Amino acid sequence: MKLIATAEDSGGFKEIVCVKGTDTSSQTAPQPEKISSFDEQGIRSHIQKLTVVPTSQGDVVVAARANGTISLYKTNETYDLINTATDGLVADSKDKDKFASLTTVSGYIFAASEQGRVTIIDPETIRDDISVASCSLKAPLSAFVGHPTQKGVFAYGGKENDVKIVRLFKESPFEDLKPEQLFQGKNVKNDRLDLRVPIWITNIVFINTDKDTEKSWNFITTTGYGQVRKYDTSHGRKPIMDKKLSDKPLKQVALTSNESEVICSDTNATTALFHVEKGTLVAKYKGSVGAVQGLHSYITDDEQLLVTGALDRYVRVFDINTREQVAKVFVGSKVTSVWLLDTSSGKSVPNEDNEDEKKKKKKRPLRRSEKEAQQENPDLVWEELEQLENDTKKRKT
Amino acid sequence: MGTGTTERPKIKNKQIRQKLFAELKAKKNKDRHKLRASRAKEEKENPALKEERLKTAVTETIESKRVFDETVGADVEGEDDFSSYFDGREPKILLTTNANARKAAYEFADMLMEVLPNVTFIKRKREFSMKDMSKFCANREYTDLIVINEDKKNVNGITFIHLPDGPTFYFSITSLIPGKKIKGHGKATDHIPELVLNNFTTRLGKTVGRLFQSLFPHRPEFEGRNVVTLHNQRDYIFFRRHRYVFRNEEKVGLQELGPQFTMKLRRVQKGIKEEIEWEHRPDMERDKRKFYL
């Protein structure tokens, strides 16, 4: 497996090459073949969001940094810097601005900041004269996603900023960039004490995109108050389903191959698979001690893997279906974002190892006290006593 | 005795059996003493033997059986939120308690005021949350906010918030003994103490170590001969404070100044009480040989 993880403490990113079964916490398990750091710029300009974009000249790593620059790197051995775009963040805001999302849709890179600035980059132009466009949306913003099939259609939302669908452009963002609101969500009914339910959209995912038309969309939102909501805009502006799944803010979302199931992680070290229709917790991905900040699902026909990067400075890979931990690597720095490039890199491990481990578990080496107990037969004391008795009897006679 | 064997004891009279068993034990004991005496004699003639024996017969402890942790001794990478202190900013601390605190909390605050330099105590007001207080303190250029937690007339916890951007640490407190209760205690002076941090080895442990380091100014006043020790053993952090004196070239005298207390890390959060970086769970204590600091 070849993974990319961002390192907050050093301000760079790391490439990890490892095999399945890697565990740095165990001395007997295979260790990662290579962990190498690239472009360390210090904690003040650490990478907040990272994504990988396919272009006509190979994949490109896109990194949005805390100082507002967006750096682009080649995916070769040395991750050479291709180009950078600046001013992705609002500099003169009262609260410090952060990147809220970094996505690629319809061939462009979109970076959205919490203060509502959207920066658009054409990845085909980065090698010579980089073309950058920007516009602004209603702040505060914590989620910004593009529609996978409809060009120029985006959904966003944030704290006290209910979910909105906008059309940013019709043909190309560099020609006719003009945000036009298509839909605005409506808050759910008051709770049973007749109090207003607070709004905090943390993530949006478009689902059933083949059913979407020019005027209706299906999507799921997660909130900072632990709810997961499902919208079908042909049924009105309120969500058609609203379930509270967690007590803690749900921060990260990853998709699975099944459209009714999503993987969410909260601020309390729980990463779990939720069934959206039923509103139930299906499975947990256990192991992480710190809150998961980077979540990436890698879905192909024969493999479904989930990569998590957490504040406990570990990158973990899980099998989505079996929930087993496939790899665990200590990276030495807090991780904000992760990406799985491919699973073919690194030597494959023969399956025998697993069987050996199971055997080992069953046959625990004996503790010292047990060993002594085995050696020191309890009958021995009795025999000794009898011997003593015989000796004393002999003396008497 | 003899569990697993269903046979009756071979010596039927219990009193004789007991007497014989006592004799057997006494004999074994005597043999052991003889062996020790002879070994001591041998080793006195040949000290190399003793060295060899001590080398091979090492007592196994929980610490020596500690499970492998890859973060022990690993280099600290990059920077963290404490780096501003290490650039030379003097610490400035605000100390407060939980809302509606009782006498115990104020007494403990009094002890901490003596230990920590450049500290201000403010009585807690109910209307301000921890986040509010952190904001006010950051505006007034405080570097740390300490909140004592008291419950049922006992001090049971302490929160450290590093300002302006966190992290937040919560420790539970046990075995608090004020200086006055310690036999032969001394009276503390208000010199800046020296700091001894013991056994903070893992990556998390180093973060905790840096927290305590950032509470004390860089330059201790050596003429005060005060030392604050934070000794970590099996994830319990022992706080002790002494005054030392060099009696001659070899001997050092120690006088305890107090207070004594024990802390245990319960939670580390990013920012001011935001995402959890590490949290103690009861099942972490299932494996007695696994330590986190």
Side-chain angles (χ1 to χ4, degrees):
Chain A
M1 281 183 284
K2 199 194 242 179
L3 298 149
I4 292 183
T6 61
E8 189 183 331
D9 299 347
S10 61
F13 63 94
K14 294 188 177 196
E15 185 201 53
I16 303 156
V17 181
C18 62
V19 295
K20 282 189 180 173
T22 302
D23 186 354
T24 51
S25 299
S26 163
Q27 281 166 310
T28 52
Q31 299 297 310
E33 280 168 40
K34 198 174 83 179
I35 301 179
S36 29
S37 300
F38 301 98
D39 203 16
E40 295 180 337
Q41 296 190 7
I43 196 168
R44 269 169 205 83
S45 45
H46 73 266
I47 299 168
Q48 287 173 333
K49 298 279 167 190
L50 180 134
T51 185
V52 176
V53 188
T55 66
S56 55
Q57 293 173 47
D59 289 354
V60 168
V61 179
V62 186
R65 291 181 178 273
N67 59 0
T69 61
I70 300 165
S71 319
L72 301 118
Y73 304 90
K74 283 181 198 161
T75 48
N76 57 2
E77 283 286 297
T78 48
Y79 289 89
D80 298 326
L81 182 70
I82 307 169
N83 214 331
T84 49
T86 50
D87 299 327
L89 298 174
V90 182
D92 52 347
S93 63
K94 203 174 76 183
D95 298 314
K96 216 180 169 204
D97 201 4
K98 267 167 84 170
F99 280 104
S101 133
L102 183 68
T103 54
T104 43
V105 264
S106 49
Y108 301 109
I109 303 162
F110 295 85
S113 82
E114 282 189 352
Q115 301 292 328
R117 177 176 291 190
V118 181
T119 313
I120 306 154
I121 298 169
D122 186 352
E124 298 300 335
T125 65
I126 52 174
R127 279 181 178 77
D128 29 77
D129 201 12
I130 189 165
S131 49
V132 182
S134 71
C135 65
S136 61
L137 297 170
K138 187 174 180 278
L141 189 147
S142 4
F144 177 86
V145 290
H147 195 283
T149 53
Q150 291 179 16
K151 206 173 182 186
V153 175
F154 291 86
Y156 73 96
K159 200 164 191 176
E160 295 307 324
N161 185 5
D162 212 339
V163 59
K164 291 174 185 67
I165 293 183
V166 288
R167 183 187 295 284
L168 289 186
F169 56 88
K170 283 205 175 80
E171 292 303 317
S172 153
F174 300 100
E175 285 159 22
D176 52 350
L177 184 66
K178 196 179 158 201
E180 172 199 353
Q181 190 164 308
L182 304 173
F183 168 83
Q184 183 175 9
K186 198 174 180 185
N187 198 2
V188 293
K189 275 184 191 163
N190 286 358
D191 63 7
R192 63 192 181 89
L193 298 173
D194 201 24
L195 294 170
R196 186 183 158 274
V197 180
I199 300 168
W200 185 5
I201 307 289
T202 51
N203 244 312
I204 307 165
V205 178
F206 280 103
I207 53 160
N208 301 330
T209 47
D210 46 326
K211 287 181 198 158
D212 289 356
T213 63
E214 283 289 301
K215 275 176 185 164
S216 77
W217 302 271
N218 290 288
F219 55 91
I220 298 170
T221 63
T222 58
T223 71
Y225 301 100
Q227 296 108 342
V228 173
R229 290 169 182 157
K230 194 180 166 190
Y231 289 80
D232 180 355
T233 60
S234 58
H235 278 83
R237 289 165 57 202
K238 283 188 180 179
I240 54 168
M241 193 221 67
D242 171 31
K243 279 266 163 67
K244 193 172 167 78
L245 296 183
S246 162
D247 291 330
K248 299 286 177 317
L250 296 170
K251 282 273 166 130
Q252 311 293 334
V253 175
L255 280 175
T256 61
S257 56
N258 185 349
E259 289 214 321
S260 58
E261 287 178 340
V262 287
I263 297 164
C264 300
S265 69
D266 65 8
T267 57
N268 235 24
T270 317
T271 308
L273 181 70
F274 292 106
H275 196 284
V276 181
E277 320 271 290
K278 292 180 199 156
T280 50
L281 191 150
V282 181
K284 273 188 185 178
Y285 298 97
K286 284 187 181 174
S288 183
V289 188
V292 171
Q293 301 228 304
L295 204 59
H296 177 235
S297 57
Y298 178 88
I299 293 162
T300 57
D301 292 335
D302 44 311
E303 256 180 325
Q304 298 195 357
L305 297 175
L306 176 77
V307 191
T308 66
L311 285 174
D312 58 5
R313 299 181 169 89
Y314 282 94
V315 169
R316 289 178 167 86
V317 183
F318 295 94
D319 188 312
I320 290 178
N321 296 319
T322 62
R323 313 194 295 277
E324 254 168 55
Q325 187 173 285
V326 179
K328 175 187 176 190
V329 178
F330 177 70
V331 287
S333 171
K334 286 175 196 162
V335 183
T336 52
S337 209
V338 280
W339 197 274
L340 183 62
L341 284 175
D342 63 65
T343 52
S344 51
S345 302
K347 287 167 235 146
S348 65
V349 189
N351 287 332
E352 287 164 37
D353 281 15
N354 266 334
E355 280 169 29
D356 278 354
E357 254 171 48
K358 274 176 197 166
K359 272 180 201 165
K360 258 182 218 163
K361 263 184 192 170
K362 272 180 199 165
K363 238 186 173 182
R364 173 174 59 88
L366 288 170
R367 290 204 189 109
R368 224 176 67 168
S369 56
E370 282 172 337
K371 266 184 201 166
E372 276 170 11
Q374 270 190 356
Q375 283 164 0
E376 236 177 77
N377 196 347
D379 290 339
L380 218 69
V381 181
W382 292 114
E383 274 163 28
E384 270 181 66
L385 276 181
E386 212 166 302
Q387 187 70 36
L388 220 78
E389 196 198 22
N390 289 340
D391 289 354
T392 44
K393 270 179 189 166
K394 267 177 205 166
R395 245 179 271 149
K396 271 177 196 169
T397 49
Chain B
M1 268 287 145
T3 47
T5 53
T6 46
E7 286 169 58
R8 281 184 303 143
K10 281 164 187 163
I11 305 164
K12 284 175 186 165
N13 188 319
K14 192 179 178 184
Q15 274 175 321
I16 292 177
R17 203 165 70 225
Q18 281 175 336
K19 192 183 144 219
L20 284 172
F21 184 66
E23 275 173 21
L24 186 72
K25 281 210 86 172
K27 189 178 164 270
K28 277 189 177 172
N29 202 10
K30 213 166 193 178
D31 288 347
R32 203 182 74 232
H33 276 91
K34 266 183 198 162
L35 176 76
R36 286 186 153 204
S38 67
R39 192 170 62 196
K41 206 174 170 187
E42 262 175 49
E43 281 172 356
K44 206 175 179 184
E45 283 162 14
N46 189 1
L49 281 174
K50 187 177 184 180
E51 260 174 46
E52 202 174 312
R53 179 171 60 86
L54 291 180
K55 224 178 255 173
T56 50
V58 181
T59 321
E60 286 179 343
T61 60
I62 288 186
E63 278 91 353
S64 74
K65 299 290 249 178
R66 181 174 182 166
V67 293
F68 173 69
D69 189 328
E70 70 271 38
T71 70
V72 170
D75 291 335
V76 177
E77 207 174 278
E79 306 154 65
D80 59 10
D81 293 317
F82 296 110
S83 45
S84 71
Y85 162 79
F86 294 93
D87 292 346
R89 196 157 70 131
E90 288 283 293
K92 184 180 170 190
I93 305 164
L94 189 101
L95 180 66
T96 186
T97 63
N98 55 323
N100 202 20
R102 289 182 233 224
K103 196 178 167 192
Y106 294 107
E107 280 174 354
F108 185 57
D110 212 33
M111 294 173 211
L112 285 186
M113 293 273 286
E114 277 184 20
V115 178
L116 298 166
N118 201 8
V119 58
T120 324
F121 179 81
I122 303 278
K123 193 168 185 284
R124 176 72 180 268
K125 290 199 177 69
R126 205 170 251 288
E127 61 263 41
F128 301 123
S129 70
M130 300 268 253
K131 282 197 177 176
D132 294 334
M133 290 193 297
S134 319
K135 211 179 226 175
F136 302 151
C137 292
N139 290 341
R140 286 161 180 76
E141 281 167 352
Y142 281 93
T143 60
D144 287 275
L145 169 67
I146 302 177
V147 183
I148 297 164
N149 197 59
E150 169 265 349
D151 182 39
K152 300 186 186 97
K153 299 180 185 174
N154 275 320
V155 175
N156 68 346
I158 191 163
T159 310
F160 294 90
I161 303 177
H162 189 71
L163 299 170
D165 301 317
T168 309
F169 297 79
Y170 179 70
F171 294 89
S172 63
I173 287 187
T174 49
S175 321
L176 171 63
I177 298 165
K180 276 181 188 169
K181 288 265 169 74
I182 299 165
K183 205 178 169 192
H185 69 91
K187 206 179 167 197
T189 51
D190 55 358
H191 290 94
I192 296 169
E194 295 158 50
L195 187 65
V196 176
L197 295 169
N198 280 346
N199 287 347
F200 292 97
T201 51
T202 66
R203 187 63 192 79
L204 180 71
K206 279 175 187 158
T207 309
V208 175
R210 276 171 79 89
L211 162 80
F212 292 124
Q213 231 176 323
S214 71
L215 291 175
F216 293 92
H218 286 268
R219 303 207 170 279
E221 290 169 335
F222 293 108
E223 64 267 34
R225 307 197 318 272
N226 276 357
V227 200
V228 165
T229 311
L230 288 149
H231 175 86
N232 170 39
Q233 194 165 2
R234 302 181 188 178
D235 285 353
Y236 289 91
I237 301 165
F238 299 94
F239 178 97
R240 298 289 183 271
R241 191 179 177 210
H242 297 95
R243 181 185 294 131
Y244 62 85
V245 63
F246 295 113
R247 296 205 198 282
N248 55 39
E249 265 125 27
E250 278 152 15
K251 269 195 172 175
V252 182
L254 276 185
Q255 184 181 36
E256 185 143 13
L257 303 176
Q260 300 177 341
F261 56 90
T262 309
M263 291 190 284
K264 188 163 198 223
L265 184 63
R266 297 287 166 175
R267 203 178 299 125
V268 183
Q269 280 160 290
K270 196 191 179 190
I272 291 146
K273 300 189 86 177
E274 281 158 19
E275 289 102 333
I276 289 193
E277 263 177 47
W278 184 88
E279 189 168 34
H280 175 266
R281 290 191 313 262
D283 68 311
M284 283 175 174
E285 275 168 38
R286 203 179 294 145
D287 190 352
K288 302 282 183 218
R289 300 169 306 151
K290 171 85 184 143
F291 302 112
Y292 294 88
L293 291 183

